[in-house]
Amino acid sequence: MRLLLSNDDGAHAPGLAALREAMSAVCDDVVTVAPDRNRSGASNSLTLNRPLGVREVGDNLFAVDGTPTDCVHLATTGLFEQDPDMVVSGINTGANLGDDVLYSGTVAAATEGRSLGLPAIAISLIGDDCEHYDTAARVAVSMVRLLIDHPLPADTILNVNVPDLPFEALAGYRATRLGYRHRAEKLIADRDPRGRRVYWIGPAGGQADAGPGTDFHAVGEGFVSVTPLQIDLTRHNSLSSLSDWLVRL
């Protein structure tokens, strides 16, 4: 088996380093392809208007001047003689809960792996000043081993969020659904050194749907949240009513 690791925090991020070290205990063949800088919030974007550069910056560690999706796409479509068998993305510094998955480059790397036919896990460590990457790494190892021994349906992506706690302090694992946040907070207006108006994207909104069963609720109680995601965004139960609505045209 060959494991492909990636992330959106960059090739030299501490979470990725912890994941690389931990996965060496699972598999002898681990290759890492990650962005050459922080690409948080890149979502599922591909770079199509220029060629991509790839540099080997460590032992089986490759940095790409592109997005997380670029990294996984290259690594699974011919960058290496041998294609990977599974994608693990992370360990992200910070949560990927609820609506976060729409923007997350960490989740996007896993999504790209799944869209190309590979089992895929995205794993994030939740904290304002993350410390316990070793905890998230141990969780990742457990999840990968379980997925190898007991595969899930082919359309499943696992979005895993780990509280920033010592491993022994975790309350366990919970299968969860995505919660959702309130709308994003207001943008932040500023001026650059030349006096020109610039804008910062405002902080994410607070928790709106965070009750029992959600990823927010699970991590708030000290559990590892494991949410199954799918690529198919079709709202299937609305097809019939939409057909009736379209008749009016």
Side-chain angles (χ1 to χ4, degrees):
M1 164 167 275
R2 163 169 274 209
L3 289 179
L4 171 63
L5 309 184
S6 193
N7 73 347
D8 70 356
D9 289 331
H12 301 290
L16 184 60
L19 185 65
R20 294 182 68 215
E21 181 177 0
M23 285 302 157
S24 65
V26 179
C27 181
D28 292 333
D29 190 359
V30 179
V31 63
T32 304
V33 184
D36 62 358
R37 67 200 72 181
N38 191 311
R39 295 303 304 265
S40 296
S43 188
N44 296 87
S45 57
L46 278 172
T47 301
L48 302 176
N49 60 349
R50 63 173 177 83
L52 292 163
V54 181
R55 293 183 299 117
E56 187 167 8
V57 295
D59 185 21
N60 273 336
L61 172 60
F62 298 85
V64 179
D65 61 345
T67 68
T69 302
D70 289 332
C71 295
V72 175
H73 194 90
L74 290 178
T76 53
T77 59
L79 183 61
F80 306 112
E81 290 186 7
Q82 179 183 347
D83 290 339
D85 300 293
M86 183 184 296
V87 176
V88 184
S89 179
I91 299 166
N92 189 65
T93 300
N96 276 308
L97 299 166
D99 313 60
D100 300 342
V101 302
L102 298 175
Y103 308 101
S104 168
T106 302
V107 175
T111 301
E112 185 67 9
R114 181 66 276 174
S115 70
L116 294 168
L118 304 178
I121 300 173
I123 185 159
S124 303
L125 182 63
I126 302 174
D128 295 328
D129 188 15
C130 292
E131 298 180 4
H132 298 284
Y133 291 103
D134 58 323
T135 297
R138 289 180 66 175
V139 169
V141 166
S142 298
M143 298 294 295
V144 168
R145 283 177 168 158
L146 183 60
L147 195 55
I148 291 172
D149 293 338
H150 301 280
L152 290 171
D155 61 347
T156 303
I157 304 156
L158 295 181
N159 184 42
V160 182
N161 281 274
V162 183
D164 190 22
L165 299 169
F167 186 81
E168 294 73 17
L170 293 175
Y173 295 79
R174 277 187 178 168
T176 59
R177 65 175 176 85
L178 295 177
Y180 62 85
R181 299 181 182 274
H182 291 290
R183 62 175 295 171
E185 296 184 22
K186 190 175 180 180
L187 61 81
I188 301 167
D190 201 352
R191 292 191 182 274
D192 69 13
R194 296 182 180 272
R196 293 171 297 198
R197 180 68 73 176
V198 294
Y199 301 92
W200 292 92
I201 296 294
Q207 300 174 11
D209 177 13
T214 66
D215 46 5
F216 288 107
H217 189 268
V219 298
E221 294 196 337
F223 286 87
V224 175
S225 166
V226 184
T227 305
L229 306 179
Q230 62 183 10
I231 295 173
D232 182 1
L233 299 179
T234 306
R235 189 174 180 182
H236 291 277
N237 60 4
S238 294
L239 286 173
S240 178
S241 60
L242 180 62
S243 295
D244 295 339
W245 181 77
L246 288 171
V247 168
R248 296 176 174 84
L249 295 176

